Amino acid sequence: MSTETVWAKLQSLMGAAIDDINKAADSSILTALEKKYLGKKGEVQAYMQHMKELPPEERPKLGALVNDVRGKIESKIAEVSKNIENAKLVADLKNRRLDLSLPGRIPACGAEHPLQKTQREIEDIFLSMGFEIARGPQGEWDYFNFEALNFPEDHPARDMQDTLMLENGALLRTHTSPVQVRTMLSYAPPIRIIAPGTVYRRDDDVTHSPVFHQVEGLHIEKGLNLTHLRGILELFAQSLFGKNTKIRLRPSFFPFTEPSVEVDIACIFCGQKGCRLCKQTGWIEILGAGMVDPNVLKAGHIDPEIWSGWAFGVGIERVAMLLHGISDIRLFFESDLRFLRQFR
Ligand code: PHE
């Protein structure tokens, strides 16, 4: 074959290829055509076999020619392929309808932490009875955490709380009770406050965490006695655990209250038949309380001859564990969404 013949044949092959490609209706046909014309064993490549028949000086021309044809077919394929894609997109958009009956997508949203929720429930109960919210620092002076609360230096009562010390006599408060004295020093009586907040102790097991939360309550007025304490704490317990919840007061000891009591609720799990959770006693301890010791009133510059008060401290984790039947305190702090989602 002469170069001219090869050239003419290649020209008509290219024409046929371009016709075929223009007619291709979808990408699978295009793929087949690409193989047919441009594949290793394709029709364009086949012309390379004629190389030997040509005089040596003509051979490079044939190579260039084949490459040229190949390039033209390739760009035609690319062009048609793009047109097919576009047509598909347009058809797709035309067919697609807006379905207004589909339910909306619910955005992923967080929820209140169970401790936060319990704290808010406790706050709401006391706010509805006319108490206000007070706060104090978590890094506290020994004076407010112990001394002003009638724990003398070296008094064995200080051993009741394993304290995390900071520098210069400062410490991480071991309870919210220091807010009692701080409030007395800032406001004149009568006083009705609750003080929610974080407290710290060197304690760590399934029911004790080194960081936990309490709500302190302080009520100072003329003529208060244990009956007022009992009445309000009973209302509190009933608001939290149900209308028929019974409470009982047991004698106890705190340096800052006299008399001091431990408040129990009738076991909400067994109806007082006796179970593991109430240790077969029918009662569950929920908080400590008592009449404010005259020495504490004095430290707060309040005259114990005129005013009297009662106070309580309740653990938020403890209440939340009782309310939701949670047996391991650490669950509150592990940020495990499988746990937290149950409180939504
Ligand atoms: N501060 C006590 C504690 O942490 C609780 C308490 C508060 C007791 C107020 C009596 C009055 O255990």
Side-chain angles (χ1 to χ4, degrees), residues 122-123 125-136 149 173 176-197 214-221 224 232-233 236 292 302 309-314:
I122 296 172
E123 287 173 3
I125 294 167
F126 284 98
L127 289 174
S128 76
M129 294 194 271
F131 284 68
E132 287 177 69
I133 293 181
R135 289 180 200 284
L149 290 171
R173 66 177 177 190
T176 41
S177 301
V179 186
Q180 288 189 29
V181 183
R182 287 181 172 274
T183 307
M184 291 180 208
L185 290 174
S186 308
Y187 300 96
I191 288 171
R192 290 177 211 95
I193 56 111
I194 52 166
Q214 289 186 332
V215 179
E216 191 79 7
L218 176 67
H219 184 188
I220 296 176
E221 243 172 271
L224 289 183
I232 291 188
L233 291 181
F236 167 63
V292 180
I302 289 176
W310 63 272
F312 72 91
V314 64

Side-chain angles (χ1 to χ4, degrees), residues 16 21 23 29 52 60 76 113 142 156 194 202-203 214 216 219 231 265 268 292 307 311 318 321:
I21 294 165
K23 279 186 236 144
I29 298 178
K52 317 185 256 332
K76 189 71 196 171
H113 190 280
D142 179 282
I194 52 166
R202 290 190 47 192
D203 245 350
Q214 289 186 332
E216 191 79 7
H219 184 188
I265 55 169
I268 46 176
V292 180
W307 301 95
R318 177 150 183 81
M321 288 168 85

Side-chain angles (χ1 to χ4, degrees), residues 161 174-177 180 201 214 216-217 254 256-257 261 288-290 311-314:
Q161 296 169 347
T174 58
H175 51 178
T176 41
S177 301
Q180 288 189 29
R201 286 184 204 175
Q214 289 186 332
E216 191 79 7
F254 300 102
F256 37 94
T257 46
V261 293
F312 72 91
V314 64

Side-chain angles (χ1 to χ4, degrees), residues 99-115:
D99 183 351
L100 295 175
S101 69
L102 277 178
R105 293 202 181 101
I106 297 168
C109 79
E112 211 174 19
H113 190 280
L115 290 180

Side-chain angles (χ1 to χ4, degrees), residues 238-281:
Q238 292 176 342
S239 309
L240 265 185
F241 298 104
K243 258 209 201 102
N244 300 319
T245 308
K246 280 192 289 178
I247 68 164
R248 81 171 178 189
L249 270 46
R250 256 184 311 116
S252 183
F253 173 76
F254 300 102
F256 37 94
T257 46
E258 183 57 37
S260 301
V261 293
E262 215 82 68
V263 177
D264 296 340
I265 55 169
C267 184
I268 46 176
F269 299 103
C270 65
Q272 297 200 284
K273 284 190 199 79
C275 68
R276 190 173 49 84
L277 293 153
C278 62
K279 299 183 187 110
Q280 312 303 329
T281 64

